[in-house]
Amino acid sequence: MATVGNQLPTQAVSKPTSGKHGNVLPLWGNEKTMNLNPMILTNVLSSPYFKVQLYELKTYHEVVDEIYFKVTHIEPWEKGSRKTAGQTGMCGGVRGVGTGGIVSTAFCLLYKLFTLKLTRKQLMGLITHTDSPYIRALGFMYIRYTQPPTDLFEWYDGFLDDEEELDVKAGGGCVMTIGEMLRSFLTKLEWFSTLFPRIPVPVQKVIDQQIKARPRKVPQKETQEDEDGFAESGRQGERRRSRTPRRTPSPRRSPKRSRSRSHHRERERHGPSFDRELERERDRQRKEREGRDRDRERGDRGDRERRRSRSADRNRERKRSHSGSRDRRSERKEKERDGGDDRSRRKDRDHHKDRGTERERSRDKKSRGETDDRRHKDDRERHRDERKAKRSSRSRSRERRHKSGAEEKSRKRERSHSRERDRERDGEQRSHKRSRSKERSHHQRESSNDHSRHRSSPSIE
């Protein structure tokens, strides 16, 4: 189990069957989040730089070129984009729970490398790159976030004494070597305002023992610079001692102990980077003091000039006030004289203005009334025309209905008359047929009677 920052514990992913020396890299922790802080991950995924520009990069070499041109530090947030002043506890800058900011291009490109699923050969190309130290730094950070804790020292072992320098802080001000950065990766959990994946306690103990057992090499340039600095400090100390009287040594401090030994001890504890930071801090404090002194001198000069200008302005204002009061008195007298005439003129003007405004209002009312009357008349005429049109349409529809009804009635009558005629004809035909049939039957009877008579007459004879 491995905990990442303030994330929930996640199970470690098993290594591939290819082994340690295969080209496929194992992944430790979460396969989706790369064990990043949740706030950093959400800012990376929502940043337009990652969604638009990095989305177009599809190959490993394109991402390496982007790192070479865009990365200038390895801090997770850009300078001035995240305010953590006054936050304590779980809202501190280390925990990553407080307010977010603008995520750095370095971490966007780091997660882009994770999406490419780097091989062992590609990762070795990153950490041994010769063009930029930031390419190497992102490769080492990729190892710290994704590789198992037991393999970290084996990855970093050959680079713990690397002397290549880089500035890891946003905005500058924190220069360190690759070796110092890797030692902080192995021994510290915090990195500026985020957390690395936690290393198990037994593995951390083994790493600490291996780092202590490994002798640390001091670069030759730093030793020469330190010797030159000590020589200059010794000369300055001798000059100061020659000018100032000697003091008796304090009982607490032995005369044999010198400042150089304490300086050597501090240098052994903190390293050459600590000495550089101390020198920079002293230079900064000296510059601040000089700036304060200059500001004070400028402020004193400004105050003197302001006092002089104020006194001159006061004298001028007094003269102007006296002359202005005289002018005001004369103006008041003239106004009092001309006040009656002005008032009468103003009244006449106001009266004429009122009359003009009343006339204009009456004209406006009349014009409005005329327009309203015209509108009403037009509306009435329209209503009348509409009513007439409706009535005419209704009368036409009624006439059409009446005509159609009369035509239908006449048609019905004609049909009934034709039917009656047909019936009469049929009756007449039937009566003629009956009369003919009766006549025929009568003739047949008469003819039969005549025959019978003729037959009976010879017999009688």
Side-chain angles (χ1 to χ4, degrees), residues 85 148 221 263 291 349-350 358 379 405 440 443:
K221 294 181 180 179
H263 186 75
R349 289 175 184 174
D350 295 334
E358 288 178 357
D379 294 333
R440 286 176 186 174
H443 286 296

Side-chain angles (χ1 to χ4, degrees), residues 207-455:
I207 291 172
D208 293 338
Q209 290 176 1
Q210 290 174 346
I211 291 174
K212 288 179 181 178
R214 182 186 179 87
R216 186 174 179 182
K217 296 180 182 179
V218 180
Q220 295 179 359
K221 294 181 180 179
E222 292 182 358
T223 55
Q224 291 177 359
E225 290 176 358
D226 293 336
E227 288 176 359
D228 295 336
F230 290 140
E232 289 178 359
S233 63
R235 292 173 185 173
Q236 291 177 0
E238 288 177 357
R239 291 175 183 174
R240 290 175 184 174
R241 288 174 187 172
S242 63
R243 292 177 182 176
T244 57
R246 294 182 180 180
R247 294 180 182 178
T248 58
S250 62
R252 295 180 182 177
R253 200 174 197 181
S254 63
K256 295 180 181 180
R257 292 180 64 186
S258 62
R259 295 181 181 178
S260 62
R261 291 182 180 178
S262 62
H263 186 75
H264 280 296
R265 288 180 182 176
E266 290 180 355
R267 189 181 68 182
E268 289 176 357
R269 288 180 185 175
H270 301 285
S273 62
F274 181 73
D275 296 335
R276 294 175 185 173
E277 291 179 359
L278 283 175
E279 291 177 358
R280 289 176 182 173
E281 187 66 24
R282 288 171 184 170
D283 293 336
R284 187 179 61 78
Q285 290 178 0
R286 186 183 63 192
K287 289 179 181 179
E288 287 180 356
R289 289 173 185 172
E290 291 176 356
R292 290 174 185 172
D293 295 336
R294 291 174 184 173
D295 293 336
R296 287 177 184 174
E297 291 177 358
R298 290 175 183 174
D300 295 336
R301 292 176 184 175
D303 292 335
R304 291 173 185 173
E305 291 177 357
R306 287 173 187 172
R307 289 174 184 173
R308 291 176 183 174
S309 62
R310 285 177 184 175
S311 61
D313 293 335
R314 287 175 184 173
N315 294 327
R316 291 174 185 173
E317 287 177 357
R318 286 175 183 174
K319 291 179 181 179
R320 289 176 183 176
S321 63
H322 287 299
S323 61
S325 61
R326 292 174 183 174
D327 295 334
R328 287 172 186 172
R329 288 175 185 173
S330 61
E331 287 177 358
R332 286 176 185 174
K333 290 179 181 179
E334 290 177 357
K335 286 181 180 180
E336 287 176 356
R337 292 174 184 174
D338 301 333
D341 298 332
D342 292 335
R343 288 175 185 173
S344 60
R345 290 174 184 174
R346 287 176 184 174
K347 287 181 180 179
D348 295 333
R349 289 175 184 174
D350 295 334
H351 185 66
H352 288 297
K353 285 182 181 179
D354 294 334
R355 286 183 179 178
T357 52
E358 288 178 357
R359 289 174 184 174
E360 289 178 356
R361 289 176 184 174
S362 62
R363 289 175 184 174
D364 293 334
K365 288 180 180 179
K366 289 179 180 178
S367 62
R368 289 176 184 174
E370 290 176 355
T371 53
D372 293 334
D373 293 335
R374 289 176 183 175
R375 288 177 183 175
H376 288 301
K377 287 180 181 179
D378 295 334
D379 294 333
R380 289 174 184 174
E381 290 177 355
R382 288 176 185 174
H383 287 299
R384 288 175 184 174
D385 295 335
E386 289 177 356
R387 289 175 183 175
K388 288 179 181 178
K390 288 180 180 179
R391 289 175 183 175
S392 62
S393 62
R394 288 176 184 174
S395 61
R396 289 174 185 174
S397 61
R398 287 176 183 175
E399 289 176 356
R400 288 175 184 175
R401 290 176 185 175
H402 184 68
K403 288 179 180 179
S404 61
E407 289 177 355
E408 287 179 356
K409 288 179 181 180
S410 62
R411 288 175 185 174
K412 288 180 181 180
R413 289 175 183 173
E414 289 177 357
R415 289 175 185 173
S416 63
H417 287 299
S418 63
R419 287 175 184 174
E420 289 178 357
R421 289 174 185 173
D422 294 334
R423 288 175 185 175
E424 289 177 355
R425 288 176 185 175
D426 293 335
E428 289 177 355
Q429 288 176 0
R430 288 176 185 173
S431 62
H432 284 298
K433 285 179 181 180
R434 287 176 185 174
S435 62
R436 287 177 184 174
S437 63
K438 285 180 180 181
E439 288 177 356
R440 286 176 186 174
S441 63
H442 184 69
H443 286 296
Q444 286 177 1
R445 287 176 186 174
E446 286 180 354
S447 63
S448 63
N449 291 327
D450 292 335
H451 285 296
S452 64
R453 286 176 185 174
H454 287 293
R455 285 177 185 175

Side-chain angles (χ1 to χ4, degrees), residues 56-75:
E56 297 176 355
L57 305 180
K58 303 296 182 183
T59 62
Y60 163 78
H61 297 288
E62 290 177 351
V63 177
V64 172
D65 293 338
E66 188 73 12
I67 295 170
Y68 179 78
F69 288 110
K70 293 296 177 69
V71 177
T72 57
H73 63 88
I74 318 173
E75 195 173 347

